[in-house]
Amino acid sequence: MTDRTQEAPRAWKPLLLAGFGLLLVLLSAGLFAAVPGALVDERAYAAATACPTGTRSDSCTTTVPAIVAGTEHEPGFREAPDKHWLLLTERGSDTVRRVLMSGPEPVFDAVRAGDKVTLTYWRGEIRIVRSGAAAQETWGSPTDDWRNFVAFGLLALPFGLGVLWTGWWYRYRYPSAAHVGAWQLAVGLVAGAALGCVGFVGGLAGGGVRDAFLITAVGIPPVACLAAVCAWWLLRRATRAADTSDIVPVPPRGNGACARPYAETSPTAWTASTTWWWGTGVRRPHRTPTGTLPAGHFRRR
């Protein structure tokens, strides 16, 4: 047997894992840093009042009439959502504005070319489109912008920490570990990915930032149980694969004291394989898969 320290992973492998994990952690930190600004904009937008007639300001909202020039629907690519565009022309202007809506309802599906709508501006951007009693926010509305930052931040942070743990174990524990199993490398990634999914759902469905983090914290015990079950299952598989209780020694036939195997292709599929080594045969009757296997011939010295 060779020394496992000679088979230690090259330096770039754990460094690659550490760099990827650190990148995810830094990405989550940047997303969390953008949350306070998104909350400030949301509160300012909710508190904004209508501007005096004939004036516009960033601290108030302006309402102007417009006419629908048309609609455009772009199907999403793979996991990307569909895009719904309204083509609008303000009254007294020939300029057509292309506005991305937050979804198909309730205004986008209800209006047609030539319909009259009302546009609400805030800080120079169209935030709401109204048609009769129905009102729909555009993609530029600051309402719930914090959800995307929190959701993707909670998705990236646990997974990044799991990748960092895997890189650390691969760098400092793998060379000296007596036994290496798949669970030692997979448990951190599985736990990080599962907890990240819980945080992502919490960010999109929670009532606020505190609720999103609370949902993530509540998901830690179930994720820990999932990681433990995953580790137990992988360890059980490794233990069963290493079980040698079914190996039966077979004494050699004839007067040869030493036999040495050599490979030879057999035209038929063997259901049992015999390995001869120093006068003792080892037979494993049910481990051989179907197909063409070595015939088990040997020669004497």
Side-chain angles (χ1 to χ4, degrees), residues 3-210:
D3 188 1
R4 292 193 71 251
T5 57
Q6 298 178 359
E7 301 176 359
R10 295 184 179 181
W12 65 269
K13 293 182 179 180
L15 287 178
L16 181 63
L17 289 172
F20 182 62
L22 184 61
L23 179 63
L24 291 176
V25 173
L26 293 177
L27 175 62
S28 65
L31 292 171
F32 290 147
V35 172
L39 292 175
V40 170
D41 289 342
E42 182 180 19
R43 296 190 189 103
Y45 174 67
T49 58
C51 296
T53 305
T55 63
R56 292 193 178 188
S57 174
D58 289 345
S59 60
C60 57
T61 60
T62 304
T63 302
V64 297
I67 299 176
V68 178
T71 60
E72 293 182 2
H73 174 225
E74 295 181 6
F77 178 73
R78 293 184 179 180
E79 300 299 329
D82 294 355
K83 293 183 179 180
H84 304 84
W85 300 86
L86 276 181
L87 305 180
L88 303 171
T89 303
E90 294 185 19
R91 184 175 299 176
S93 174
D94 296 333
T95 303
V96 178
R97 300 201 58 176
R98 194 165 179 254
V99 180
L100 179 61
M101 305 301 292
S102 58
E105 296 177 351
V107 174
F108 181 85
D109 287 342
V111 298
R112 297 294 183 270
D115 290 348
K116 296 180 179 180
V117 295
T118 303
L119 311 179
T120 299
Y121 280 85
W122 183 69
R123 294 184 179 177
E125 296 292 337
I126 300 175
R127 310 294 183 170
I128 298 178
V129 178
R130 288 183 172 87
S131 176
Q136 183 180 355
E137 293 184 345
T138 66
W139 189 260
S141 174
T143 303
D144 290 339
D145 275 355
W146 61 269
R147 292 188 181 277
N148 292 328
F149 297 123
V150 173
F152 284 100
L154 290 176
L155 175 65
L157 180 59
F159 187 66
L161 293 177
V163 174
L164 282 177
W165 184 89
T166 302
W168 176 85
W169 188 92
Y170 200 62
R171 173 64 178 86
Y172 294 102
R173 292 289 183 244
Y174 176 84
S176 59
H179 302 284
V180 178
W183 69 272
Q184 294 167 314
L185 293 175
V187 64
L189 298 178
V190 170
L195 188 59
C197 292
V198 173
F200 184 79
V201 173
L204 295 180
V209 177
R210 182 178 300 179

Side-chain angles (χ1 to χ4, degrees), residues 203-215:
L204 295 180
V209 177
R210 182 178 300 179
D211 293 342
F213 281 90
L214 181 60
I215 293 174

